[in-house]
Amino acid sequence: MTAIDTDEATRLREAIMSVARAARLHRGDHGLTLTQVTVLGYLDRSGTTTVADLAARMHVRVQSLTVSMNKLDDAELIVRRTDPDDRRRQLVELTDAGRELLLDDRAKRDEWLAEAVAHNLDETERGLIMLCVPLLERLAADRVGHLMPRVGS
């Protein structure tokens, strides 16, 4: 297996992060922080969940989400309720308004990216970058190093 060296890995990481930062600059004008939009995104993908599970997925402490959760709740973008199976736990879910805001936010970033690709890449390059999408998805799914060979294997 041919591995990339650390300089190549650095270039790849920096390129991916540059595109991600540029996309964030084209977010909707909704007054939410990146953390708050991230919470909405996790809730959209996972459905109803607990605050503890949400914090674990985001790699933050539950206490770190308190301000964001309160603001999202006040704005009626999420709803919190007691878990009927365990009254000590709180369940969180996205409201229709939260889903609409998230879809609008994603649409603005998608429009920017589609326009950037159309204006900066030729047809061959557009095809090539789209071939990379499943590979990047696979790398993103490997958050704990499953692709790394195990010692002694």
Side-chain angles (χ1 to χ4, degrees):
M1 168 170 60
T2 304
I4 66 171
D5 64 30
T6 56
D7 289 339
E8 292 169 317
T10 298
R11 286 189 61 214
L12 177 59
R13 179 186 51 77
E14 287 176 348
I16 291 168
M17 295 306 295
S18 291
V19 171
R21 278 190 296 274
R24 280 195 296 269
L25 293 174
H26 294 84
R27 292 175 38 218
D29 185 21
H30 42 60
L32 298 182
T33 67
L34 182 57
T35 298
Q36 292 162 349
V37 173
T38 301
V39 166
L40 296 180
Y42 273 108
L43 289 173
D44 184 53
R45 286 185 296 280
S46 67
T48 303
T49 189
T50 64
V51 177
D53 184 46
L54 190 59
R57 288 175 188 225
M58 294 178 66
H59 303 284
V60 298
R61 293 177 20 192
V62 171
Q63 297 84 342
S64 300
L65 287 180
T66 301
V67 171
S68 290
M69 299 301 284
N70 289 340
K71 289 189 179 195
L72 293 171
D73 194 11
D74 291 345
E76 299 181 351
L77 300 173
I78 63 167
V79 62
R80 293 185 278 193
R81 59 185 164 80
T82 303
D83 184 341
D85 297 328
D86 183 348
R87 300 195 59 75
R88 295 169 295 175
R89 294 191 325 173
Q90 218 179 41
L91 297 176
V92 183
E93 61 188 308
L94 199 56
T95 64
D96 289 341
R99 188 168 287 104
E100 186 177 315
L101 183 143
L102 184 62
L103 290 173
D104 181 63
D105 184 75
R106 288 173 175 166
K108 285 181 175 33
R109 289 178 286 141
D110 290 348
E111 288 170 20
W112 165 79
L113 185 56
E115 188 174 315
V117 167
H119 286 93
N120 294 294
L121 304 178
D122 64 31
E123 187 175 342
T124 301
E125 292 168 326
R126 288 191 298 270
L128 183 59
I129 205 162
M130 291 313 297
L131 285 173
C132 294
V133 171
L135 306 176
L136 292 170
E137 289 170 339
R138 227 170 57 212
L139 287 175
D142 182 51
R143 294 185 181 124
V144 290
H146 293 293
L147 295 177
M148 299 296 293
R150 297 182 198 277
V151 176
S153 334

